[in-house]
Amino acid sequence: MSNKVFMKGCEAIAEAAVRAGCRFYAGYPITPQNEIPEYMARRQPQVGGVFVQGESEIASINMVYGAGAGGTRSMTSSSSVGISLKSEGISYCAGAKVPMVYVNMQRGGPGVGTIQAAQQDYFQATKASGNGGFKMIVLAPSTVQEAVDMTYQAFDLAERDRSPVLILGDGVIGTIMEPVVLPEMKSDEEVAAMKAANREWAIVGHSRDEKRGFLDPGYWSTDMQEAHCIELDAMYRSWEENDVQVEELSLDDAELVFVAYGTSARIARSAIELLRADGLKVGMIRPKTLSPFPVKSFDKINYQLCKCILDIEMSIPAQMLFDVRLAVKERCAVDTCLRSGGNLIERDDIIRKAREILNGGAE
Amino acid sequence: MEAVYTRTNTLNGNLLGFCPGCMHGTTFKLIGEVLEELGVDSKASCVLAIGCCGLAQEAVSYDLATAPHGRAAAAATGLKRTNPDTIVFTYQGDGDLASIGLAETIHAANRGENITVIFINNGIYGMTGGQLAPTTLVGMKATTAPGGRDPKQHGYPLHMAEIINQLVAPVYIERVSCNNPANVRKAKNAIRKAFQNQIDGKGYSFVEVMTSCPTNWGLSPEKSLKFLEENMMKEFPLGVIRDNR
Ligand SMILES: Cc1ncc(C[n+]2csc(CCOP(=O)(O)OP(=O)(O)O)c2C)c(N)n1
Ligand code: SF4
């Protein structure tokens, strides 16, 4: 039996979450991710889970905070401006160590922006998703299949670390339809066992001879707060060693290296095929985790040959550029190819820019 | 000798940390006694607000998570829906429940969540030092309303119990106080009913507890009690507002 199905990104993510054992979802409508709550509204009751349409993004993330605090695999989703509203709740999850997964299908910004696909929330996703300097593992799928696989994995990571995990998509990933192989559905027994394993720290009511569940997003003691930050920092450092996910394409002989994620990376990949066919030596670093950022991949570039690193983003001003520069460490020039506002990067823009760099502008 | 009055086992002996004359402590004691008497203290989880109530978080023995300011009812929704056997209650001040968390408060009530909401109305922001609350009385001074609450600028005190009474779903709404032994007994009965409703799966119960804040009212505990009785309880009359059986 071929278990390939044709699915829209948002729906595939929702189904992957359910298969990973997500049994609580709360969210508030916003384009381009409405198919996630709509799918969850149909699907959760079928598996004994709960769907709630929150009265706002704030209420939704806090419902997820409560459900996660009770040990249930929980998820919320939104797009850009709605994610801003969730930031306090995300910070509480990081502080109180409540695992949860959330999805941002990015659209244009700032403000209410546009409803079309953009990558305008990179800083928010990787640097400051809320107050307090916490970090998260940020997964950036570039195909529907990857969105499915990353969502499935995200719940394990969130639970392993008792920390929020972000799936950073965009309007294209959310709405495109592609064939996918869905992961195996966790059985009711497995889901119950995962929840039972969380009981130790969850707030579900403990008997007097057990240690109580106590989830504390703050401390009265500055020393305890500092100790908590130090503990979190150690976890963040371990991610840099163990949790980087990246795709590296033809770095050994590359004279030009693209850096792109998500939808931009899809378009960059199609440009590479054409450029390589023309004999131009172009490679790519595609971060699959934006946090932790694949810094070590940049050490694999042959800087004797490489003329330039091209940061490709659907964001103006460029944002990932700063992580790229830190990783390149001035070993070579860094340039950008950008679109914004909900406009997609065009393959021809990338090709033109690549030729400019490699041939001094000759088409 | 037999002890006729003992501390509830739900208070672990750690310092509650409230100011002298504050009624947060009494309310926590009543909640603890009720949970024990109903035999559900080991099934209870508190979703605690941001405010002076945080001073109690190390002093209670039941499960507890602090929610973001105002969002306790939303967090309690997620918790109760996924753990229906857990006895879930929120404990929230007036700034938390009636100002920043008004939407979460109303919508959880309107959905008829099977939770118990304990609302501490002291007419002021305690934790942050005496700023204007949505329940501050007209003319009552606050650090951010130094001339007193002026309806032209600040509007009138919000009557949360009555506002929630406009909704169809809630099953039980009562306003109580802890100003004298008779009212403490009534408050305990109200809290008991609010938890019994949840145990019976009846739905949303709301108990508003009128309390004092001697520190930020700038009054001695005795004078605070008088102010509570003569002014606060006049604006916010005690009694059962709804009791659906
Ligand atoms: C988002 C957010 N805004 C503001 C605060 C600061 N803050 C802490 S407690 C509080 C108000 C507390 O007043 P109330 O809810 O009436 O409770 P009380 O302290 O009087 O018991 C405020 C504004 C905060 N912690 N979080
Ligand atoms: S500041 Fe007011 S509410 Fe807070 S503990 Fe003191 S008396 Fe109680």
Side-chain angles (χ1 to χ4, degrees):
Chain A
M1 186 186 96
S2 158
N3 40 10
K4 267 210 169 154
V5 286
F6 203 55
M7 281 185 101
K8 212 178 208 189
C10 279
E11 297 190 339
I13 284 176
E15 179 59 30
V18 168
R19 288 173 180 238
C22 172
R23 290 295 178 272
F24 185 85
Y25 172 93
Y28 186 82
I30 184 169
T31 307
Q33 60 82 59
N34 290 320
E35 292 85 350
I36 297 179
E38 286 163 359
Y39 190 90
M40 286 297 198
R42 296 193 297 273
R43 191 73 173 103
Q44 284 292 353
Q46 295 171 352
V47 295
V50 178
F51 165 84
V52 185
Q53 177 169 329
E55 56 270 29
S56 66
E57 286 85 353
I58 299 176
S60 302
I61 182 67
N62 284 292
M63 288 174 189
V64 165
Y65 178 69
T72 298
R73 288 191 164 196
S74 305
M75 181 169 113
T76 185
S77 63
S78 189
S79 177
S80 300
V81 64
I83 295 291
S84 299
L85 280 176
K86 291 185 192 289
S87 48
E88 182 197 30
I90 297 163
S91 175
Y92 267 64
C93 289
K97 302 190 71 171
V98 172
M100 65 94 178
V101 174
Y102 74 106
V103 181
N104 178 2
M105 288 299 177
Q106 297 172 86
R107 54 191 247 170
V112 76
T114 53
I115 61 169
Q116 285 79 11
Q119 297 180 318
Q120 207 76 24
D121 302 339
Y122 182 90
F123 283 152
Q124 184 198 45
T126 61
K127 310 292 181 236
S129 308
N131 62 295
F134 66 92
K135 295 189 184 184
M136 298 180 302
I137 293 181
V138 180
L139 301 162
S142 122
T143 62
V144 176
Q145 183 66 59
E146 211 166 55
V148 160
D149 297 340
M150 284 176 169
T151 303
Y152 200 71
Q153 187 199 20
F155 286 91
D156 289 336
L157 293 173
E159 223 158 55
R160 180 195 72 185
D161 297 333
R162 289 181 53 193
S163 183
V165 174
L166 168 59
I167 314 280
L168 187 69
D170 58 57
V172 170
I173 299 296
T175 50
I176 201 168
M177 286 188 84
E178 283 182 330
V180 286
V181 179
L182 290 167
E184 160 205 2
M185 176 85 181
K186 294 212 192 291
S187 68
D188 289 351
E189 292 71 31
E190 284 173 288
V191 173
M194 292 186 307
K195 183 166 175 175
N198 294 336
R199 189 181 177 277
E200 188 194 344
W201 54 259
I203 61 155
V204 290
H206 283 78
S207 70
R208 234 173 271 153
D209 35 308
E210 293 175 299
K211 194 167 168 274
R212 73 168 175 155
F214 180 45
L215 295 171
D216 200 359
Y219 296 88
W220 292 109
S221 143
T222 53
D223 286 344
M224 281 171 73
Q225 182 69 62
E226 185 180 51
H228 182 53
C229 290
I230 289 169
E231 186 193 315
L232 290 177
D233 184 47
M235 178 171 78
Y236 302 152
R237 284 163 194 266
S238 81
W239 292 347
E240 288 165 18
E241 289 308 313
N242 306 320
D243 290 298
V244 171
Q245 296 179 36
V246 60
E247 181 188 357
E248 296 157 351
L249 265 181
S250 321
L251 296 184
D252 332 333
D253 69 341
E255 292 173 20
L256 172 62
V257 174
F258 293 164
V259 186
Y261 73 96
T263 293
S264 299
R266 291 172 77 105
I267 301 162
R269 185 193 304 280
S270 67
I272 291 176
E273 282 161 20
L274 291 175
L275 290 164
R276 281 258 164 195
D278 273 2
L280 294 177
K281 299 206 163 102
V282 184
M284 176 157 75
I285 293 173
R286 178 172 73 89
K288 297 202 262 179
T289 51
L290 296 173
S291 162
F293 194 74
V295 177
K296 286 178 187 158
S297 297
F298 290 81
D299 297 340
K300 298 182 186 165
I301 294 169
N302 185 342
Y303 289 98
Q304 308 292 305
L305 300 175
C306 188
K307 292 186 183 152
C308 184
I309 312 282
L310 188 65
D311 170 74
I312 303 170
E313 300 180 62
M314 299 192 307
S315 172
I316 297 175
Q319 299 181 53
M320 183 172 66
L321 172 67
F322 292 85
D323 281 331
V324 171
R325 278 196 191 138
L326 281 173
V328 170
K329 299 187 192 108
E330 298 188 343
R331 284 173 286 189
C332 114
V334 178
D335 205 340
T336 57
C337 180
L338 311 172
R339 289 304 297 272
S340 178
N343 291 316
L344 296 185
I345 299 244
E346 302 215 9
R347 189 184 59 190
D348 289 351
D349 293 342
I350 299 174
I351 290 177
R352 200 175 309 115
K353 187 86 190 186
R355 288 194 199 283
E356 245 172 61
I357 292 166
L358 293 175
N359 303 338
E363 264 290 319
Chain B
M1 213 169 61
E2 193 199 342
V4 289
Y5 184 82
T6 53
R7 191 181 67 220
T8 157
N9 286 307
T10 62
L11 296 179
N12 59 21
N14 285 345
L15 195 67
L16 272 164
F18 299 117
C19 308
C22 177
M23 293 171 189
H24 270 301
T26 320
T27 313
F28 271 108
K29 183 185 81 133
L30 296 181
I31 292 170
E33 287 175 359
V34 164
L35 292 173
E36 269 196 290
E37 287 163 23
L38 294 173
V40 295
D41 54 308
S42 60
K43 290 168 76 180
S45 285
C46 174
V47 180
L48 196 67
I50 293 287
C52 282
C53 55
L55 295 165
Q57 63 180 26
E58 311 271 8
V60 296
S61 63
Y62 39 77
D63 286 16
L64 184 146
T66 300
H69 194 24
R71 321 301 172 198
T77 297
L79 177 59
K80 182 70 183 182
R81 294 264 193 128
T82 49
N83 288 283
D85 295 334
T86 301
I87 301 303
V88 178
F89 70 102
T90 72
Y91 185 106
Q92 306 171 255
D94 42 58
D96 191 272
L97 180 140
S99 184
I100 191 168
L102 188 61
E104 284 76 8
T105 300
I106 296 287
H107 284 278
N110 193 45
R111 288 189 302 266
E113 298 295 339
N114 189 27
I115 57 172
T116 302
V117 173
I118 308 289
F119 170 42
I120 305 298
N121 182 356
N122 59 12
I124 201 97
Y125 281 31
M127 176 54 78
T128 40
Q131 295 83 5
L132 186 81
T135 48
T136 302
L137 303 184
V138 170
M140 188 175 165
K141 288 198 167 76
T143 56
T144 47
R149 184 180 198 124
D150 171 8
K152 285 210 187 93
Q153 267 195 69
H154 310 113
Y156 294 86
L158 275 186
H159 291 224
M160 287 310 300
E162 286 79 359
I163 289 172
I164 288 169
N165 196 33
Q166 299 305 304
L167 309 172
V168 176
V171 292
Y172 177 58
I173 304 165
E174 182 165 350
R175 186 181 286 119
V176 298
S177 187
C178 295
N179 61 313
N180 62 39
N183 278 345
V184 169
R185 224 170 303 129
K186 280 191 193 160
K188 185 168 170 181
N189 285 336
I191 291 169
R192 182 182 291 112
K193 194 173 271 184
F195 278 107
Q196 188 65 54
N197 284 341
Q198 185 181 159
I199 294 166
D200 297 343
K202 284 192 179 157
Y204 182 92
S205 297
F206 182 88
V207 178
E208 175 167 349
V209 188
M210 298 304 304
T211 67
S212 59
C213 177
T215 303
N216 290 302
W217 289 0
L219 299 172
S220 68
E222 298 76 39
K223 285 192 176 145
S224 295
L225 208 54
K226 208 160 164 252
F227 185 83
L228 174 66
E229 288 163 355
E230 290 176 3
N231 301 79
M232 294 286 284
M233 280 156 60
K234 202 184 242 169
E235 176 75 26
F236 299 101
L238 307 189
V240 178
I241 292 167
R242 178 185 300 186
D243 189 2
N244 290 355
R245 317 204 156 250

